[in-house]
Amino acid sequence: MKATLAAALLVAPLLVHAGQPPAAAASGSQSGAAASPGRGEAHPALWPATRSRGLVDAATEKRVGQLLASLSLEEKVGQMVQGDIASVRPEDLRRYPLGSILAGGGSPPLGADDRSPAPAWIATAQAFRAVSLEARPGHVPIPVVFGIDAIHGNSNVVGATVFPHNVGLGAMRDPALMRRIGEVTAEETAASGIDWSFGPTLTVPQDVRWGRAYEGYSEDPAIVRSYAGEMVRGLQGDVAAGHLLQKGRVAASAKHFLADGGTRDGIDQGDADIDERVLVDTHAQGYYTAIPAGTLTVMVSFSSWQGIKMHGNASLLTGVLKQRLGFEGVVVGDWNGHGQVPGCTPGDCAAAINAGLDLFMAPDHWREIYDATLAEARDGRIPLARIDDAVRRILRVKAKLGLLEPERPWEGRLDAIGSPAHRAVARQAVRESLVLLRNERGLLPLRSNAHVLVAGAAADDIGRQSGGWTLSWQGTGNRNSDFPNGESILAGLREALVAGGGSAEFNAEGQYTHKPDVAIVVYGETPYAEMQGDLRHLEFQQGEHADLALLKRLKADGIPVVSVFLSGRPLWVNAELNASDAFVAAWFPGTEGGGVADVLVGTAAGQPRHGFRGTLSFSWPRRAAQAPLHEGVAGYDPLFRLGYGLKYGQQATLAPLPEASDVEGAVWNVDRYYQRGHTPAPWGFRIEPEGAIDAHAVDAGGIQEAGRSFQWSGTQAASLAISGAPVDLSRQANAQLVLRLEYRVDARPAVPVRLAMECTPACPGAGLDLTPVLMAAAPGEWQELKVPLTCLRDAGADMSTVSSPLVLETTGPFAMTILSATLSADGVGAICPARAGQR
Ligand code: BGC
Ligand code: BGC
């Protein structure tokens, strides 16, 4: 059912419009593809030639060839499917011989929860492996390969060493340390029974409004390039020599191919509408070192290039990646990403395999995709040669990894997980990643015998300093007790001060009993991962928020203030910079909070124990609306350039910075109200009376939680609104824009439903009668509704001050799902429903 709806949604021509607002064009459609031939078609000759090193050798190929020849078509197709441990049980592998499993960011080990130490993970890995190795008629025992997002250490496992996120590692400019970080990550992953890390992320984010920007090392391709190969070598070791698992190494996955960081407006899973040259010169740079270093796998990006979804782009997956770049490992998909290819669903997508995908990441659709792919292989829609090539690559990776050997000496080495030696590597990375942006009168380093007030909500919170992809998917809900081997920033400061003859007093709100010599305030972004971290502008927090008020109060008390700012990206913090005597960008440093104290707290004489080494790997904005901002962008004028970072002993005075935000005028989002599961700022859903409409997120269009379902109980009049600060839509109305809704009726209304807008202070009219439209819509089928703004204006909306661009109201029972609500310039098919009766 779900798959069919998704298919209808994705092929429906009504979803394809040129000239939509940018984010709408990114919603999985392939606008423009058909219209402009050649768009999204790569030219391999423009790319440098590279080659996988260490993957292909005669002995391995012989063994793989024999194994391949022994497999039935069913077993081959099984190798090409990966299910998620939240949706597949070990027993399922008897009927569906999957070649791989993964644990997604929110998927706990079997019979346990997200916050489990290594033994639960080992037991899970062993349970799946055991079934894949069973001797059964018609089954060739080949172990499943188990992948996980070990993207800043094996951060899914309680007790693991958690490294700074990549944004911080980029600031280190230390490729040699990257290799060491890769080794540590591999050892902790292998010790947990897991074979494969879904990293390194080689994205080159050009617009940090993208919530995944912190997964990238830098906006600068040169930094990404200098790290990629080292990280692959660290994770995998010497691929040519093989037996990686036996040496505490795991498979790497260079991701996400390609230009995930190049999407317009930094929209997650959006469209990179850029020249092929920019792919070659910017976004692909990391692959030029990762492939020769022998990365065993490459993960495909959710995003599109020139309107074509990467998962269906043969010219890039096969022509460029496999042929020109000579990649000989496995091309793995990303989380149902194949389902976004036109004509595909999460459960059926020959087009992706034919484009060059080898392994479907089909977390919850492994059964459907197995059945569909098998049928397509049988009837020739997927050539058998393509199947054999994919399976050969998968078996090659398994062989090189040492997965086919029975010994796993690292599995169960619990002493490796969060070991002192590993933590020391992470602590060094923390020290090297800190970037000093302001240091008036040499306030830092602090004398170790000072009395220091430590304040701020993030000072004693290892979860907050670790960010997303930590124990839970979004990194939310973690407590210090979930990190038995970790140390908060506060704990590290206290340790250093006490050891140095000083003292630390902690109070999150900044109250103190003895007037401190100096205050350190730790604050910043709260954890987020995919989707949840996307922004429309770079303003850290609007107005005088609690953190800023705290900085100002301490300063007013005559206390010198040090800001330790946690974030996944540079943000506009002019007011916070003004209110701080010293300001340190600490990114998301991970579990080793002690690294912060190593640099901030000096000797008793005030000499540094460790200097600042970090320099910005992303440009720091001068204005909140300054995005995209990266070196090379037209009019590049950051507050702090790429590469900026003060050192101890360096004098630099920061003149007071303007504090007026330019967000309101420049980037206030007036045209996207709901999309892919989000209500981008300033919008949010509002239900009145509260609780009168049951609302929940649902998967739609093959995208997790992209839709929002609403059910009116019918016991009272209830309204659903998308509301925010009032915006002026007069220009949009004059330009004949339409309010566009993608929706589905789940249960037809019993009594009239009203569609209206809300204005501040009030709109005079009653809005439009939507009942006939909803009654005509077949329940369960996706629909598009376009209503001209002028039609709403004529029905009473004051376009100059719209505070709710969408209000739906009824007194009876009714249920619908909304997939998007936006303004569109494409008025084709728009209707103007009759006015509703007066309220
Ligand atoms: C999983 C993540 C995955 C995401 C994709 C979550 O439920 O846990 O690993 O990346 O879904 O949307
Ligand atoms: C993310 C990938 C991740 C995968 C598995 C996806 O949603 O985009 O980066 O590896 O989920 O969790």
Side-chain angles (χ1 to χ4, degrees), residues 7 25 28 31 84 92 100 103 174 206 225 309 337 348 426 452 472 478 483 583 683 686 712 777:
S31 46
D84 182 276
D92 292 326
S100 180
D174 189 346
Q206 302 293 285
R225 182 184 179 129
K309 279 284 161 191
D348 185 0
V452 178
S472 63
N478 293 324
F483 302 95
F583 192 101
W683 309 108
R686 195 193 66 214
W712 279 254

Side-chain angles (χ1 to χ4, degrees), residues 102-105 149 198 212 215 255-256 299 302 334-335 361 469 530:
L102 88 146
D149 293 292
F198 295 141
R212 302 192 74 170
E215 295 184 48
K255 74 186 189 185
H256 308 83
M299 189 186 292
F302 276 125
D334 194 358
W335 201 274
M361 187 187 288
W469 299 104
E530 295 161 89

